[in-house]
Amino acid sequence: MRILIANDDGVYADGINILAEELAKIAHVTVVAPDKERSAAGHGVTFFSPLRIDKISENEKSCFYSCSGTPADCVVVGLNHVMRDNPPDLVIAGINRGPNLGDDFHYSGTIAAAVEGALAGIPSIAVSTGVDKNFKVPCYKNTARIASGLAEMVFEDPIPLRTFLNLNVPAYDIKGIKLTHLGFSNFSYGVIERQDGLNLNYFWLTRTNRCQNEMYEGSDYQALNSGYASITPLSLDFSSSGKKTNFFDDRDLERLTKDIQ
């Protein structure tokens, strides 16, 4: 088995190194990860500037590359350059420091790396671990072991095309594992304006979480906050067609048709 690993915390982060060490017990591991932290990078890809790739280390079970691009860039480079002649069986993103739950789906570079793998038709898993209230370093080893077991399961019984798995594991005292759906949370942004030494304005974005919805029954939020690891299957299909909605009926569509005649 061959596994491509990426992340958004950077190639030197503890999480990705512990994950690579654990996965090297069951597969040959290739790491292509950002040369610096790229958290909350989303699914950006780089078209208007060059990417630089450096090999950091290599042994019989693994090799590490740093990439100057985004997490999605790392997977693209990994698939189309580094592993072009020996494509991976799995793409695994992580281990992210901090959970990726609910609406984090839209911002997380870790999630984006897994999405990029799924877009290429390769079974993919995003892996994150919780932190305590003081943002204490989590126990990555437990998360790595669960991720390794999940990787073996997905390799033996592949998940459907255009889907991927989002694994979140508590930092400590794991009670078990639950299959969940994507939760949601209300949050708002703030913009802090300051001045630099030249009296030029600069801005910091901040995000304030309001978590009244986080305990939604069966959600990834509820599982993690109850001490359980969460596995959430996610689809690349964002469309609502085929789902029960009250958006339009036939008369609405007829009206739109008349408007363009």
Side-chain angles (χ1 to χ4, degrees), residues 23-36:
L23 291 175
K25 298 176 183 177
I26 63 169
H28 185 276
V29 169
T30 299
V31 173
V32 183
D35 56 6
K36 59 184 178 182

Side-chain angles (χ1 to χ4, degrees), residues 147-174:
S148 179
L150 185 58
E152 287 188 295
M153 291 172 61
V154 170
F155 179 70
E156 295 168 2
D157 187 13
I159 56 180
L161 287 174
R162 299 187 65 78
T163 63
F164 68 100
L165 302 179
N166 186 26
L167 170 65
N168 284 278
V169 180
Y172 304 96
D173 301 324
I174 303 166

Side-chain angles (χ1 to χ4, degrees), residues 1-2 10 49 58 66 74-75 88 91 108 124 143 150 193 200 224 235 252:
M1 177 166 44
R2 294 180 300 277
S49 60
E58 183 176 13
S66 69
C74 292
V75 175
V91 172
S108 167
S124 300
T143 302
L150 185 58
E193 182 177 359
L200 299 175
L224 201 72
S235 172
D252 294 319

Side-chain angles (χ1 to χ4, degrees), residues 121-244:
I122 299 172
S124 300
I125 305 170
V127 183
S128 305
T129 189
V131 293
D132 68 8
K133 294 180 179 179
N134 297 317
F135 214 64
K136 183 180 177 182
V137 175
C139 183
Y140 289 114
K141 290 187 177 180
N142 285 335
T143 302
R145 293 188 189 105
I146 295 173
S148 179
L150 185 58
E152 287 188 295
M153 291 172 61
V154 170
F155 179 70
E156 295 168 2
D157 187 13
I159 56 180
L161 287 174
R162 299 187 65 78
T163 63
F164 68 100
L165 302 179
N166 186 26
L167 170 65
N168 284 278
V169 180
Y172 304 96
D173 301 324
I174 303 166
K175 296 179 181 178
I177 302 173
K178 290 188 176 182
L179 188 66
T180 59
H181 57 76
L182 197 66
F184 62 98
S185 60
N186 292 332
F187 59 83
S188 61
Y189 281 105
V191 178
I192 300 173
E193 182 177 359
R194 295 176 179 168
Q195 287 188 323
D196 64 17
L198 298 176
N199 295 322
L200 299 175
N201 293 342
Y202 69 92
F203 303 88
W204 282 109
L205 296 185
T206 63
R207 191 173 81 170
T208 302
N209 282 298
R210 299 195 300 265
C211 298
Q212 63 263 36
N213 295 315
E214 69 177 16
M215 298 307 288
Y216 191 63
E217 185 66 30
S219 71
D220 48 7
Y221 274 111
Q222 185 189 55
L224 201 72
N225 287 337
S226 299
Y228 290 86
S230 163
I231 299 174
T232 308
L234 296 170
S235 172
L236 301 185
D237 183 1
F238 280 29
S239 63
S240 293
S241 59
K243 301 177 183 179
K244 186 177 180 180

Side-chain angles (χ1 to χ4, degrees), residues 4-8 31-35 38 41-53 65-82 109-110 112-117:
L4 171 63
I5 305 178
N7 74 348
D8 69 3
V31 173
V32 183
D35 56 6
R38 292 277 191 165
H43 203 123
V45 291
T46 303
F47 287 117
F48 299 105
S49 60
L51 296 176
R52 300 192 183 277
I53 306 160
Y65 296 82
S66 69
C67 173
S68 62
T70 67
D73 287 333
C74 292
V75 175
V76 171
V77 168
L79 296 179
N80 294 282
H81 176 69
V82 176
T110 301
V115 168
E116 193 61 46

